[in-house]
Amino acid sequence: MSGLIDHYSGVVCDLDGVVYRGPEAVDHAVEALSALPVPVVYATNNASRPPEEVAAHLTDLGLHVTGRDVATSAQAGAEELLRHLPGGAAVLAVGGDGVREALRDNGFRVVDPKAAGADPGLRLGGVLQGYGASVTASDLAEATYAVAAGAVWVATNTDETLPTHRGTAPGNGMLVAAVRRAVGRDPIVVGKPYAPLYVLCASRLGLSPHSLLAVGDRLETDIAGAVAAGLDSVFVLTGVDSVRTLARAPHDQRPTYLLPDLRELSEVYVGAETDYTWWVCGGDRRRVVDGAWDVATKGSPVEAARSGIACLHEALDDDEIDLATADRLAAELDEWQ
């Protein structure tokens, strides 16, 4: 029997929480990705680093990649600006080196916030706002002035948090929110959960989005973005979200597949099925009765998670249980948190 990956022509893989956590590789990720028989593009909402720098990090971990194998939200943002502005237009770059490089590669005149502040009469056609560890209040002020004056405002992403090796830090979404509050309108957002970053990945591979498999650990970004772009998706339990958060997920954040880690990409996938009374996955057979699990046979942890999540989603959609009950029952299935 063929493995899960054999049904797809390529993979769009998230990084934080899937391939690495800070400087360290996620267990089994490098070996599993190296063994895939299809091309992989690594897609990240983090716009601070240029693709070559991300590729160097992945190479240090043991993967064989180049900058071409990495797609960033900064690149998607620069391509979006090309749809609104003429080549060579002046664009304010707010964020790390990845933002400036993406703009330069697309032919824009890159304007630093300090330069914009020194020349108040400078007419800016656009603003590309991405994450940068050294972004200051003055940078955000220059973005606000430019947007208020009519510049096209593109945000690479609106992730409110950023996972690091020391814990969780504020993400680009918090910085975007400051500008949004000041100007009273929303930016064009290109990173996950929106489709443009996934569309960029498909274009780079020369493949239809429907032939690709997206892999991620965040439901509200990775999985929602895949749904928006028309990709099937894998949710892995190695990062931010869990079986419990999956149980509460709305339709546009529900993945096609649930895997404990990346090793199972090459394995036969056993999904959950129902006979309209029980949900079954492998050796696990269960249903919900009076707000509690009724388990006919108990399978492996992942089989229980797959059948249990399918059962909870059905019960939620049919208004048979509420979110609090779903959370309580999902906690009994979560062997990974």
Side-chain angles (χ1 to χ4, degrees):
M1 298 177 68
S2 59
L4 173 60
I5 194 59
D6 296 323
H7 301 283
Y8 297 93
S9 300
V11 169
V12 179
C13 189
D14 181 53
L15 290 172
D16 291 318
V18 177
V19 182
Y20 53 64
R21 298 186 195 93
E24 304 296 329
V26 170
D27 290 346
H28 315 298
V30 172
E31 297 84 353
L33 289 165
S34 298
L36 293 181
V38 298
V40 180
V41 171
Y42 297 92
T44 177
N45 265 4
N46 190 336
S48 63
R49 296 192 293 173
E52 291 75 15
E53 187 176 329
V54 177
H57 182 188
L58 295 174
T59 299
D60 288 343
L61 295 178
L63 290 165
H64 300 289
V65 299
T66 69
R68 179 70 180 171
D69 301 313
V70 176
T72 73
S73 58
Q75 293 176 313
E79 290 205 0
E80 178 64 29
L81 283 168
L82 281 176
R83 299 183 177 92
H84 302 270
L85 301 173
V91 177
L92 183 71
V94 178
D97 291 340
V99 174
R100 291 184 285 275
E101 181 175 300
L103 290 170
R104 281 195 297 269
D105 288 348
N106 281 274
F108 290 111
R109 176 188 169 192
V110 181
V111 180
D112 182 85
K114 289 183 179 179
D119 185 5
L122 176 64
R123 179 68 176 176
L124 292 165
V127 175
L128 182 57
Q129 183 178 1
Y131 180 79
S134 60
V135 171
T136 67
S138 295
D139 297 342
L140 299 180
E142 292 302 328
T144 299
Y145 302 146
V147 173
V152 178
W153 181 26
V154 174
T156 60
N157 67 296
T158 52
D159 295 7
E160 293 188 352
T161 60
L162 179 69
T164 74
H165 67 288
R166 293 181 59 189
T168 300
N172 192 53
M174 305 300 286
L175 306 178
V176 171
V179 178
R180 180 193 289 117
R181 183 71 176 267
V183 300
R185 66 181 179 88
D186 294 328
I188 301 168
V189 185
V190 294
K192 299 173 281 188
Y194 300 95
L197 180 55
Y198 282 113
V199 173
L200 172 64
C201 292
S203 175
R204 189 168 296 181
L205 288 171
L207 296 169
S208 163
H210 301 291
S211 70
L212 302 178
L213 181 64
V215 180
D217 69 307
R218 286 194 178 209
L219 300 172
E220 65 181 3
T221 55
D222 304 324
I223 304 307
V227 172
L231 281 72
D232 284 353
S233 60
V234 162
F235 170 50
V236 288
L237 298 170
T238 56
V240 172
D241 281 324
S242 66
V243 170
R244 291 182 68 176
T245 50
L246 177 57
R248 302 189 298 268
H251 283 277
D252 62 357
Q253 295 179 22
R254 295 178 184 176
T256 316
Y257 309 105
L258 169 62
L259 301 184
D261 60 60
L262 294 182
R263 289 176 294 180
E264 291 199 26
L265 284 173
S266 297
E267 302 296 325
V268 175
Y269 188 85
V270 179
E273 299 179 342
T274 182
D275 61 6
Y276 303 103
T277 300
W278 299 87
W279 277 95
V280 181
C281 179
D284 197 85
R285 184 179 181 88
R286 66 181 58 228
R287 61 186 178 180
V288 174
V289 178
D290 296 330
W293 287 122
D294 180 13
V295 180
T297 58
K298 187 174 183 180
S300 68
V302 70
E303 289 172 342
R306 290 171 183 164
S307 61
I309 288 297
C311 183
L312 293 177
H313 284 169
E314 179 185 55
L316 282 168
D317 294 345
D318 292 342
D319 293 323
E320 295 174 354
I321 61 172
D322 57 19
L323 287 173
T325 301
D327 184 69
R328 173 173 54 79
L329 294 177
E332 299 179 31
L333 305 171
D334 201 339
E335 300 277 342
W336 297 269
Q337 293 294 312

